[in-house]
Amino acid sequence: MNVMTKGVIGGGIGNGMVAYHPLDPLSVDEISAAAAIVRRADEFNDATKFETIELRYPDRDAVRQWDGAGRLPRRAFVCIYDTHSGTVRECLVDLDAGILIDATIIPHARTAVVLDDIIGCVESVVQDQDFIAAMARRGFTDLSNVQVDPFSAGNFGLDGEDGHRIVHCFVYNRNGPFDNGYAHPVEGLNVIYDLNQGKVLEVLDRTMVEVPAEERNYAIRHDRIAAMTRDDLKAIAITQPDGPSFTVAGNKVHWLNWQFHVEFNAREGLVLNDLAFNDRGRVRPLLQRASVAEMVVPYGDPSFGHFRKNAFDVGEYGIGRLANSLTIGCDCRGHIHYFDGVVNNTAGAPVVIENAICMHEEDDGMLWKHTDLMTMAVETRRSRRLVISSVATVGNYEYGFFWNLYLDGTIELEVKLTGLMNTAGYNDVSKDNYGTHVAPGVVAQNHLHLFCARLDTAIDGVGNNLVEVNVIQDERGEGNPWGNAFHADQAVLRSEKAARRNRNAETERYWKITNPNRQNRMGGPTAYKLVAPSMVRPFHHGDTQLAKRAAFTKHQIWATPYTADERYPAGAYVNQSTGEDGVGAWTEADRNIENADLVLWHTFGIMHLPRLEDFPIQPVVKCGFALMADGFFDENPTLDMPPSTDGGSA
Ligand code: CO
């Protein structure tokens, strides 16, 4: 039995929400109000569009000192761009006073590629005479089902980049509106389109390759799929007769020992704030804020236009803008609480993404168990977790972001990758050296998915250390006569440069965040360890423009002292960026991070060498990380769990 409750993200003006939190995203009314204020300003004209309208966070100290009763000032960050001049401005709006406080030009910035841009691009390309001619050369005269994929173009010093906000399009053909275009790549044909001018700059007809004709579909509407669909699945029903164990007030959630605030924004999508654990009556902070703040998908094929495929899906598009509206029974089962997301379109109007965030409890199998060998007495406890999730569709791919909270204090992020692989036509330059031939004439190229989590830590409060642990095999000798000794070497990483760290399987390396100002029962600093099973290195050369723009991929671990405007590890304006902003540049200052208001940046992901089984649609592949208590509690924090019984509540 699936049950649904509903909340609306946005705690500001006029949504009738009783609960308020200073980090509540802007409501529908607040977005409209902010847009109206900016529209009246001198900086605004008929050619101006809105990229982002979001909450400008109140001062961090004010949020910390907020007493839970009063309201902090509501301010909006509004990013606008002039499609004639290309000028990008950041506006600060005081929503309480109804005034524009500031409008600052951001030199060289280019705004993200948003839905309105993509629609405009696709409509224009198929009407372009050069494009029509290039398709005709390939035997296609009916372009009603041609699929144009606008890819962020990157920064390579190529013609058309300077002074333009562009996309580099790849082309696929569909045999009908619902046919899978990725089975029919139109290889060697690309289009450069200017998003600000709204026109095609160049059609690049690079090589002629026969377009593969075989249909490869996955949807039930296709006869082949309908015919093979099995009918031997028995129902699985999830029942929660007493309702869920969580309570929700506005965007604030309590679940057993956990409490946190749910945020949704256009760029990062799902964000958790003020994550804390109630340790037998004492609310102990863990994370100030947790989000996936950037990602990049570098492809490894050098041929024709494919070298340009390096989408930064957070910074260049915004995974919040692209979030799915989730459906009960399909995406989420059990007792579900949904939160809506509110973003804006380029006209400055609010856009509500209904059911953008799903929250529910799941049974999680064994928590702990022991059979006493002398008495044969058995003690078993079942685990459960709270899952807070959001799924974004970024062109061909789906990214599911699942934050899981566990009874033992573990915080886990599971990223689920599914959807359709971006494909290319088999060509004489690359052959199948740089990908996998998944169907005759269809190559799915080698690529990586690299994510960067921004973990604004507050383990037991502000003042955290980043500690590296390496396991050392002791030398044989007097102290180690049997050759079995090994020990853990622990070192505090004291500055930003020292904290640029990579994986090392030889020493079972891992990292901890400790609070040197708090002690556990045995006298050690209270701590959490980072469990990082998805560390992967990039394979582009270090002297490339991509290496600079995606500097966050160079190391799996970075740490910085909290700074309000250091939010995005590839910089604030990623589209066609030069790489001068971001975690690589900030950490050149080598600031102190000892006993600091610490932000940990963890880069993780997967190396994706495509499999035949990933085509035509990829079953979920997972990557992620966890933060696990390590000397944070004085003992197993789940001893209070009731014994598990058949059909019992635990
Ligand atoms: Co992939």
Side-chain angles (χ1 to χ4, degrees):
M1 177 83 154
N2 299 312
V3 180
M4 174 178 151
T5 56
K6 190 64 179 282
V8 178
I9 290 266
I13 308 164
N15 68 0
M17 189 182 284
V18 179
Y20 157 84
H21 187 283
L23 301 181
D24 285 343
L26 298 185
S27 66
V28 163
D29 292 345
E30 286 176 317
I31 287 176
S32 296
I37 292 163
V38 170
R39 233 180 261 120
R40 288 198 296 268
D42 294 341
E43 289 81 359
F44 201 89
N45 63 57
D46 290 346
T48 311
K49 292 187 177 184
F50 292 87
E51 187 219 47
T52 300
I53 305 174
E54 66 176 16
L55 177 75
R56 165 62 67 92
Y57 271 26
D59 177 70
R60 190 173 174 89
D61 290 331
V63 176
R64 279 195 187 126
Q65 287 154 22
W66 176 62
D67 60 6
R71 272 173 104 261
L72 298 185
R74 296 288 284 177
R75 294 192 300 172
F77 167 89
V78 181
C79 176
I80 55 173
Y81 59 105
D82 186 317
T83 53
H84 286 166
S85 66
T87 306
V88 175
R89 283 186 176 85
E90 291 186 349
C91 306
L92 185 58
V93 172
D94 182 334
L95 287 166
D96 299 322
I99 55 165
L100 179 72
I101 299 171
D102 186 42
T104 306
I105 292 177
I106 309 299
H108 313 300
R110 289 181 185 83
T111 52
V113 181
V114 297
L115 193 59
D116 298 352
D117 287 327
I118 291 169
I119 292 167
C121 169
V122 170
E123 283 174 356
S124 295
V125 169
V126 295
Q127 292 171 32
D128 182 85
Q129 289 309 313
D130 291 344
F131 181 76
I132 291 168
M135 289 298 284
R137 272 196 290 282
R138 290 164 172 80
F140 297 101
T141 48
D142 175 8
L143 302 189
S144 52
N145 292 309
V146 72
Q147 175 187 331
V148 177
D149 282 14
F151 249 80
S152 50
N155 185 328
F156 297 90
L158 297 170
D159 288 348
E161 288 178 357
D162 239 17
H164 298 279
R165 187 167 69 96
I166 56 167
V167 284
H168 177 257
C169 305
F170 291 87
V171 184
Y172 303 87
N173 190 59
R174 297 184 182 203
N175 292 342
F178 297 102
D179 184 33
N180 171 18
Y182 296 103
H184 319 294
V186 181
E187 177 62 14
L189 178 60
N190 303 104
V191 181
I192 306 283
Y193 177 85
D194 188 304
L195 299 168
N196 281 352
Q197 292 176 27
K199 69 172 193 192
V200 172
L201 294 184
E202 195 177 6
V203 173
L204 300 155
D205 197 350
R206 290 158 149 148
T207 187
M208 288 280 280
V209 173
E210 195 181 338
V211 176
E214 184 185 84
E215 292 190 3
R216 298 296 304 274
N217 287 298
Y218 53 89
I220 193 74
R221 68 170 62 245
H222 295 283
D223 292 345
R224 176 169 176 259
I225 303 302
M228 68 164 71
T229 299
R230 58 198 299 163
D231 60 2
D232 55 352
L233 272 69
K234 306 301 182 201
I236 293 179
I238 295 158
T239 56
Q240 293 171 272
D242 306 324
S245 306
F246 57 73
T247 57
V248 186
N251 301 320
K252 189 93 196 266
V253 178
H254 282 85
W255 177 66
L256 303 174
N257 298 69
W258 289 96
Q259 60 183 68
F260 57 93
H261 172 268
V262 178
E263 179 191 335
F264 184 88
N265 67 55
R267 185 154 175 169
E268 302 162 291
L270 172 58
V271 179
L272 301 183
N273 290 307
D274 284 345
L275 195 71
F277 194 93
N278 187 325
D279 182 12
R280 293 171 199 181
R282 194 157 57 102
V283 176
R284 301 174 67 186
L286 293 171
L287 295 174
Q288 295 254 324
R289 192 173 186 279
S291 68
V292 175
E294 194 50 88
M295 58 174 291
V296 63
V297 187
Y299 283 75
D301 184 344
S303 67
F304 304 109
H306 298 296
F307 70 93
R308 281 186 109 142
K309 279 161 120 168
N310 308 294
F312 291 68
D313 292 330
V314 175
E316 291 179 334
Y317 300 92
I319 49 172
R321 290 186 189 97
L322 301 170
N324 293 179
S325 287
L326 301 170
T327 50
I328 191 137
C330 303
D331 296 301
C332 331
R333 287 183 167 180
H335 189 116
I336 307 300
H337 186 87
Y338 284 115
F339 298 92
D340 288 348
V342 186
V343 297
N344 63 279
N345 64 17
T346 54
V351 176
V352 177
I353 302 171
E354 287 194 39
N355 301 353
I357 297 169
C358 163
M359 181 173 72
H360 70 281
E361 282 176 286
E362 282 180 0
D363 182 87
D364 185 49
M366 186 161 62
L367 173 62
W368 51 263
K369 172 165 185 155
H370 186 60
T371 302
D372 185 292
L373 277 183
M374 291 182 73
T375 64
M376 297 309 282
V378 183
E379 292 283 345
T380 305
R381 303 293 185 272
R382 282 194 79 79
S383 176
R384 62 171 69 187
R385 63 185 187 180
L386 185 70
V387 183
I388 311 107
S389 66
S390 183
V391 181
T393 300
V394 190
N396 52 299
Y397 249 68
E398 263 71 16
Y399 295 104
F401 299 92
F402 291 71
W403 289 94
N404 302 321
L405 304 179
Y406 293 85
L407 301 168
D408 70 348
T410 299
I411 305 159
E412 178 182 61
L413 174 68
E414 266 187 324
V415 182
K416 298 182 183 180
L417 298 88
T418 180
L420 309 186
M421 288 188 298
N422 197 273
T423 56
Y426 184 94
N427 69 60
D428 287 340
V429 178
S430 290
K431 298 196 164 61
D432 51 9
N433 288 330
Y434 302 109
T436 304
H437 219 152
V438 292
V442 183
V443 174
Q445 296 153 316
N446 299 340
H447 61 277
L448 295 104
H449 300 264
L450 296 162
F451 304 87
C452 187
R454 180 181 181 277
L455 301 168
D456 185 348
T457 72
I459 300 296
D460 237 356
V462 180
N464 285 176
N465 279 343
L466 177 62
V467 174
E468 180 168 301
V469 182
N470 289 285
V471 180
I472 308 295
Q473 181 187 57
D474 287 27
E475 293 294 327
R476 249 191 137 108
E478 207 175 318
N480 184 23
W482 305 102
N484 64 310
F486 60 89
H487 70 277
D489 184 56
Q490 307 206 18
V492 176
L493 305 175
R494 296 176 202 281
S495 74
E496 289 179 299
K497 283 187 179 172
R500 294 169 170 172
R501 301 300 293 164
N502 292 349
R503 63 182 176 177
N504 183 0
E506 290 305 305
T507 65
E508 305 297 339
R509 177 175 296 164
Y510 70 94
W511 296 271
K512 294 198 294 190
I513 305 139
T514 68
N515 189 324
N517 315 301
R518 301 272 186 278
Q519 291 186 335
N520 58 37
R521 180 169 172 247
M522 304 311 291
T526 57
Y528 259 65
K529 73 184 278 188
L530 177 71
V531 181
S534 305
M535 292 190 281
V536 59
R537 58 156 280 202
F539 281 78
H540 49 257
H541 279 262
D543 60 355
T544 55
Q545 191 64 10
L546 177 63
K548 206 172 161 193
R549 298 181 65 225
F552 70 89
T553 64
K554 190 175 176 188
H555 303 291
Q556 289 91 49
I557 294 290
W558 306 76
T560 55
Y562 171 83
T563 307
D565 58 4
E566 293 178 359
R567 286 179 60 181
Y568 307 113
Y573 293 89
V574 184
N575 195 11
Q576 294 176 250
S577 66
T578 54
E580 271 141 40
D581 187 14
V583 72
W586 309 328
T587 53
E588 277 299 299
D590 206 22
R591 293 165 292 186
N592 171 64
I593 53 164
E594 195 174 3
N595 203 357
D597 194 352
L598 189 80
V599 178
L600 177 68
W601 309 79
H602 174 42
T603 301
F604 65 95
I606 59 166
M607 165 60 72
H608 192 178
L609 306 181
R611 306 173 301 149
L612 292 184
E613 294 84 352
D614 295 333
F615 196 71
I617 188 164
Q618 179 184 316
V620 163
V621 175
K622 296 175 194 171
C623 61
F625 64 88
L627 290 163
M628 180 188 285
D630 184 359
F632 185 82
F633 302 109
D634 291 332
E635 61 177 353
N636 181 340
T638 67
L639 296 177
D640 59 355
M641 281 296 289
S644 307
T645 54
D646 178 30
S649 60

PDB file of all heavy atoms in Angstrom, residues 574-585:
ATOM      1  N   VAL A 574      30.444  27.935 -15.156  1.00  0.00           N
ATOM      2  CA  VAL A 574      31.185  26.809 -15.720  1.00  0.00           C
ATOM      3  C   VAL A 574      31.090  26.760 -17.242  1.00  0.00           C
ATOM      4  O   VAL A 574      32.015  26.310 -17.912  1.00  0.00           O
ATOM      5  CB  VAL A 574      30.666  25.478 -15.114  1.00  0.00           C
ATOM      6  CG1 VAL A 574      31.479  24.303 -15.614  1.00  0.00           C
ATOM      7  CG2 VAL A 574      30.711  25.542 -13.593  1.00  0.00           C
ATOM      8  N   ASN A 575      29.979  27.256 -17.780  1.00  0.00           N
ATOM      9  CA  ASN A 575      29.772  27.161 -19.214  1.00  0.00           C
ATOM     10  C   ASN A 575      30.874  27.929 -19.954  1.00  0.00           C
ATOM     11  O   ASN A 575      31.029  29.136 -19.774  1.00  0.00           O
ATOM     12  CB  ASN A 575      28.386  27.738 -19.547  1.00  0.00           C
ATOM     13  CG  ASN A 575      27.932  27.360 -20.937  1.00  0.00           C
ATOM     14  OD1 ASN A 575      28.535  26.513 -21.594  1.00  0.00           O
ATOM     15  ND2 ASN A 575      26.858  27.988 -21.385  1.00  0.00           N
ATOM     16  N   GLN A 576      31.664  27.227 -20.780  1.00  0.00           N
ATOM     17  CA  GLN A 576      32.795  27.792 -21.530  1.00  0.00           C
ATOM     18  C   GLN A 576      33.822  28.466 -20.615  1.00  0.00           C
ATOM     19  O   GLN A 576      34.492  29.418 -21.004  1.00  0.00           O
ATOM     20  CB  GLN A 576      32.302  28.790 -22.589  1.00  0.00           C
ATOM     21  CG  GLN A 576      31.491  28.135 -23.698  1.00  0.00           C
ATOM     22  CD  GLN A 576      30.928  29.164 -24.678  1.00  0.00           C
ATOM     23  OE1 GLN A 576      29.740  29.402 -24.732  1.00  0.00           O
ATOM     24  NE2 GLN A 576      31.808  29.782 -25.459  1.00  0.00           N
ATOM     25  N   SER A 577      33.938  27.965 -19.397  1.00  0.00           N
ATOM     26  CA  SER A 577      34.838  28.580 -18.424  1.00  0.00           C
ATOM     27  C   SER A 577      36.297  28.362 -18.809  1.00  0.00           C
ATOM     28  O   SER A 577      36.632  27.500 -19.622  1.00  0.00           O
ATOM     29  CB  SER A 577      34.590  27.976 -17.037  1.00  0.00           C
ATOM     30  OG  SER A 577      34.968  26.608 -17.030  1.00  0.00           O
ATOM     31  N   THR A 578      37.171  29.169 -18.191  1.00  0.00           N
ATOM     32  CA  THR A 578      38.606  29.044 -18.444  1.00  0.00           C
ATOM     33  C   THR A 578      39.301  28.244 -17.347  1.00  0.00           C
ATOM     34  O   THR A 578      40.479  27.931 -17.469  1.00  0.00           O
ATOM     35  CB  THR A 578      39.249  30.433 -18.491  1.00  0.00           C
ATOM     36  OG1 THR A 578      38.905  31.127 -17.283  1.00  0.00           O
ATOM     37  CG2 THR A 578      38.759  31.227 -19.686  1.00  0.00           C
ATOM     38  N   GLY A 579      38.587  27.955 -16.262  1.00  0.00           N
ATOM     39  CA  GLY A 579      39.197  27.192 -15.172  1.00  0.00           C
ATOM     40  C   GLY A 579      39.909  28.049 -14.148  1.00  0.00           C
ATOM     41  O   GLY A 579      40.672  27.532 -13.329  1.00  0.00           O
ATOM     42  N   GLU A 580      39.659  29.364 -14.185  1.00  0.00           N
ATOM     43  CA  GLU A 580      40.341  30.230 -13.216  1.00  0.00           C
ATOM     44  C   GLU A 580      39.619  30.318 -11.883  1.00  0.00           C
ATOM     45  O   GLU A 580      40.153  30.875 -10.928  1.00  0.00           O
ATOM     46  CB  GLU A 580      40.544  31.625 -13.821  1.00  0.00           C
ATOM     47  CG  GLU A 580      41.864  31.705 -14.570  1.00  0.00           C
ATOM     48  CD  GLU A 580      41.779  32.499 -15.861  1.00  0.00           C
ATOM     49  OE1 GLU A 580      41.088  33.524 -15.856  1.00  0.00           O
ATOM     50  OE2 GLU A 580      42.399  32.076 -16.850  1.00  0.00           O
ATOM     51  N   ASP A 581      38.415  29.779 -11.812  1.00  0.00           N
ATOM     52  CA  ASP A 581      37.661  29.748 -10.562  1.00  0.00           C
ATOM     53  C   ASP A 581      37.493  28.272 -10.195  1.00  0.00           C
ATOM     54  O   ASP A 581      37.480  27.413 -11.063  1.00  0.00           O
ATOM     55  CB  ASP A 581      36.296  30.426 -10.805  1.00  0.00           C
ATOM     56  CG  ASP A 581      35.470  30.604  -9.539  1.00  0.00           C
ATOM     57  OD1 ASP A 581      36.017  30.460  -8.427  1.00  0.00           O
ATOM     58  OD2 ASP A 581      34.266  30.895  -9.673  1.00  0.00           O
ATOM     59  N   GLY A 582      37.387  27.991  -8.898  1.00  0.00           N
ATOM     60  CA  GLY A 582      37.147  26.615  -8.493  1.00  0.00           C
ATOM     61  C   GLY A 582      38.140  26.150  -7.442  1.00  0.00           C
ATOM     62  O   GLY A 582      39.060  26.882  -7.052  1.00  0.00           O
ATOM     63  N   VAL A 583      37.952  24.916  -7.013  1.00  0.00           N
ATOM     64  CA  VAL A 583      38.702  24.414  -5.851  1.00  0.00           C
ATOM     65  C   VAL A 583      40.208  24.336  -6.129  1.00  0.00           C
ATOM     66  O   VAL A 583      41.028  24.511  -5.216  1.00  0.00           O
ATOM     67  CB  VAL A 583      38.116  23.054  -5.373  1.00  0.00           C
ATOM     68  CG1 VAL A 583      38.445  21.920  -6.330  1.00  0.00           C
ATOM     69  CG2 VAL A 583      38.548  22.724  -3.955  1.00  0.00           C
ATOM     70  N   GLY A 584      40.583  24.101  -7.395  1.00  0.00           N
ATOM     71  CA  GLY A 584      42.007  24.072  -7.734  1.00  0.00           C
ATOM     72  C   GLY A 584      42.653  25.423  -7.511  1.00  0.00           C
ATOM     73  O   GLY A 584      43.763  25.534  -6.985  1.00  0.00           O
ATOM     74  N   ALA A 585      41.933  26.495  -7.921  1.00  0.00           N
ATOM     75  CA  ALA A 585      42.456  27.853  -7.773  1.00  0.00           C
ATOM     76  C   ALA A 585      42.400  28.322  -6.322  1.00  0.00           C
ATOM     77  O   ALA A 585      43.375  28.886  -5.815  1.00  0.00           O
ATOM     78  CB  ALA A 585      41.659  28.808  -8.667  1.00  0.00           C
TER      79      ALA A 585
END
